[in-house]
Amino acid sequence: MSVCNFPKMSDFWRKKTIFHVAFPATVMSRNRFTDITSNLHVSDPEEDTANEGRRGTEEYDPLQELKPLLEMIRTRCKSVYHPKQHISVDERMVATKARIKVKQYMKDKPTKWGLKSFVLADVNGYTVDYKLYTGKNNADSGKGLSFDVVTELVKKDYLGSGYVVYCDNFYTSPQLFHHLSQQGFGACGTYRQGRVGVPTTQENALNKNSKRGSIRWIRDGELLFVKWMDTREVSMCTTVHPVYTGETVLRWQKDNDGQSQRIPVPRPTAVAEYDKYMGGVDTSDQMFGTNSVHRKTKRWPMTVFQHLLDIAVTNSFIVHKELSKAQQQKEMIRQAFQEELSAHLLGVPLKATSLSQPAKMSAQEKRQRWEGESALCATEAHLGCVMCVMWVSVFRWTGTVSETTTAKNAWLFK
């Protein structure tokens, strides 16, 4: 359904329209599909009942209904693919308007209301690990939410060491970067001026009159704090980059004659590397937006279930691209990959010459159904009988019908 994106779920089973799609009806009926989706459950009902009994206490888990699937997808994401050297941590919103306590509001995100998750992603958009945020809990270390999130996602036991972690100013702190350095990880990110441990000196600081491209820096042990004047002041902290190695970036600037032209402006190394490697989570969000299985639902766990399907499919596509590059083969586009994946999961060929149709009834079977000998007419479920429907059409057009027909199927002609 991420390939054929119809406005409503029932549109996949429409028949009397030029937009008719024949294949879904050959797999299962519309009613069966809706029954499955409305009753889908991925956790133990006994554990759910016990969890409901703990509602209002600290032991209550708001994600109990999804916990088995959340853990299964997390394990698969970490075991199937090993990320490259540069990874990033950022937030991701799963859109929902459900009335639940774990719903969050983020004004700077395109999706402002929904479930917030913290994500560790590779630069190519692969979701390595994630954590769905449910609020404060007893497991907090006391060092702040941002510190706990990064230390939980970036673990040496399965990643190893030597990685460079990129994050924005919500996470960056001297305390976190010292911890990552002790674990064998490099770190780079923008920072907020008021954080504990950030230098507060104003000596030789940048101001609004500073020339574009001006650079100021302070080193505090293994931490390097860099400020760069672009359109506005940019503050960076890093443990792995030098101050400046000659990089420049083109910017529009007016000359003395009032003409705009692009001129090279010095740019710190940390800023260049941050721009290059920070967008892993945003890349995956863009891929979710173009080919998503999300459909409107009244059950918020179903929304998370659909999001987990998006993660699984997107990660599979990224693995396919990486394998194709390694084997020097031509990679498929996203649509072709999802079509091939759907056909494989359904166990049917992708390029089918014709769709299987129900076998036609013989004359004897039609006669038996009409005489009431078939199970369908015997139970008076006449709407499913081909002959009954045919005789209704005859009656509507001619206004006449035999006495036998009227006696057997009087309910059709009232």
Side-chain angles (χ1 to χ4, degrees), residues 264-285:
V265 174
R267 180 173 61 173
T269 304
V271 176
E273 296 294 291
Y274 181 87
D275 291 344
K276 184 177 181 181
Y277 296 115
M278 180 56 194
V281 178
D282 293 336
T283 299
S284 62
D285 289 345

Side-chain angles (χ1 to χ4, degrees), residues 332-394:
M332 290 186 286
I333 61 173
R334 179 74 180 277
Q335 178 181 346
F337 175 81
Q338 293 193 194
E339 291 176 355
E340 190 72 36
L341 177 63
S342 301
H344 179 76
L345 293 175
L346 292 170
V348 297
L350 178 60
K351 298 181 180 179
T353 56
S354 62
L355 296 175
S356 58
Q357 300 291 341
K360 293 184 178 180
M361 291 187 296
S362 63
Q364 183 179 359
E365 290 173 336
K366 292 180 180 179
R367 191 179 302 108
Q368 289 176 347
R369 175 166 290 188
W370 175 241
E371 294 297 333
E373 296 178 5
S374 68
L376 197 60
C377 283
T379 58
E380 296 186 357
H382 301 278
L383 287 177
C385 179
V386 177
M387 296 300 293
C388 291
V389 175
M390 182 190 72
W391 277 108
V392 171
S393 301
V394 173

Side-chain angles (χ1 to χ4, degrees), residues 69 72-74 76-77 80 92 125-127 130 284 287-288 291 293 304-320 334 337-338 341 345:
L69 185 61
M72 185 188 73
I73 299 296
R74 282 188 65 192
R76 295 294 188 273
C77 289
V80 171
R92 174 185 292 160
Y126 185 93
T127 300
Y130 56 85
S284 62
M287 298 175 76
F288 292 162
N291 296 82
V293 300
V304 180
F305 174 79
Q306 294 172 351
H307 177 67
L308 294 177
L309 282 181
D310 284 335
I311 291 177
V313 173
T314 302
N315 281 1
S316 300
F317 175 63
I318 294 173
V319 171
H320 157 72
R334 179 74 180 277
F337 175 81
Q338 293 193 194
L341 177 63
L345 293 175

Side-chain angles (χ1 to χ4, degrees), residues 18-276:
I18 60 173
F19 301 104
H20 168 57
V21 180
F23 181 72
T26 65
V27 178
M28 69 175 65
S29 65
R30 179 198 61 193
N31 292 344
R32 177 172 173 78
F33 182 84
T34 55
D35 288 344
I36 291 175
T37 54
S38 61
N39 294 282
L40 186 65
H41 211 76
V42 298
S43 59
D44 187 351
E46 295 182 359
E47 294 182 2
D48 292 347
T49 303
N51 185 62
E52 283 297 321
R54 297 189 291 268
R55 184 182 288 273
T57 65
E58 295 179 351
E59 290 77 17
Y60 175 73
D61 185 3
L63 301 178
Q64 170 61 34
E65 296 182 25
L66 296 162
K67 194 172 183 179
L69 185 61
L70 284 168
E71 294 301 323
M72 185 188 73
I73 299 296
R74 282 188 65 192
T75 303
R76 295 294 188 273
C77 289
K78 292 189 288 185
S79 60
V80 171
Y81 175 82
H82 206 69
K84 300 176 183 178
Q85 183 181 13
H86 301 278
I87 53 180
S88 59
V89 178
D90 204 353
E91 301 94 2
R92 174 185 292 160
M93 295 292 287
V94 182
T96 181
K97 294 184 178 179
R99 296 180 179 179
I100 50 179
K101 291 184 178 180
V102 296
K103 184 174 64 175
Q104 300 289 318
Y105 174 75
M106 297 189 68
K107 64 179 181 179
D108 295 330
K109 291 287 185 181
T111 302
K112 302 186 183 304
W113 286 100
L115 304 175
K116 181 169 72 172
S117 60
F118 300 103
V119 181
L120 175 67
D122 197 357
V123 66
N124 56 15
Y126 185 93
T127 300
V128 181
D129 198 2
Y130 56 85
K131 176 187 178 183
L132 203 58
Y133 180 63
T134 58
K136 295 182 179 180
N137 54 58
N138 295 331
D140 293 345
S141 65
K143 299 179 180 179
L145 174 62
S146 59
F147 182 92
D148 294 340
V149 166
V150 176
T151 54
E152 184 174 346
L153 294 177
V154 182
K155 292 185 177 180
K156 187 177 180 179
D157 55 355
Y158 76 91
L159 282 175
S161 59
Y163 285 87
V164 181
V165 182
Y166 294 85
C167 53
D168 59 23
N169 57 22
F170 174 74
Y171 306 93
T172 302
S173 68
Q175 185 180 30
L176 173 63
F177 280 22
H178 280 305
H179 173 80
L180 291 176
S181 180
Q182 293 172 1
Q183 296 293 317
F185 297 102
C188 177
T190 57
Y191 69 89
R192 299 175 182 176
Q193 189 61 44
R195 282 286 172 90
V196 176
V198 173
T200 58
T201 178
Q202 295 298 316
E203 184 179 356
N204 197 27
L206 294 175
N207 54 58
K208 62 181 182 180
N209 297 322
S210 297
K211 184 179 179 181
R212 196 173 199 175
S214 301
I215 301 174
R216 303 289 188 272
W217 61 274
I218 296 177
R219 181 171 291 278
D220 182 10
E222 60 186 351
L223 300 180
L224 175 67
F225 297 91
V226 181
K227 288 192 174 183
W228 174 56
M229 180 58 71
D230 191 19
T231 304
R232 60 181 181 83
E233 185 179 298
V234 179
S235 302
M236 301 290 301
C237 180
T238 179
T239 62
V240 293
H241 302 111
V243 178
Y244 180 64
T245 56
E247 294 93 344
T248 60
V249 61
L250 295 178
R251 292 289 187 264
W252 288 102
Q253 184 171 323
K254 290 185 178 180
D255 55 19
N256 297 331
D257 297 332
Q259 300 293 327
S260 296
Q261 58 180 353
R262 302 183 71 182
I263 62 172
V265 174
R267 180 173 61 173
T269 304
V271 176
E273 296 294 291
Y274 181 87
D275 291 344
K276 184 177 181 181

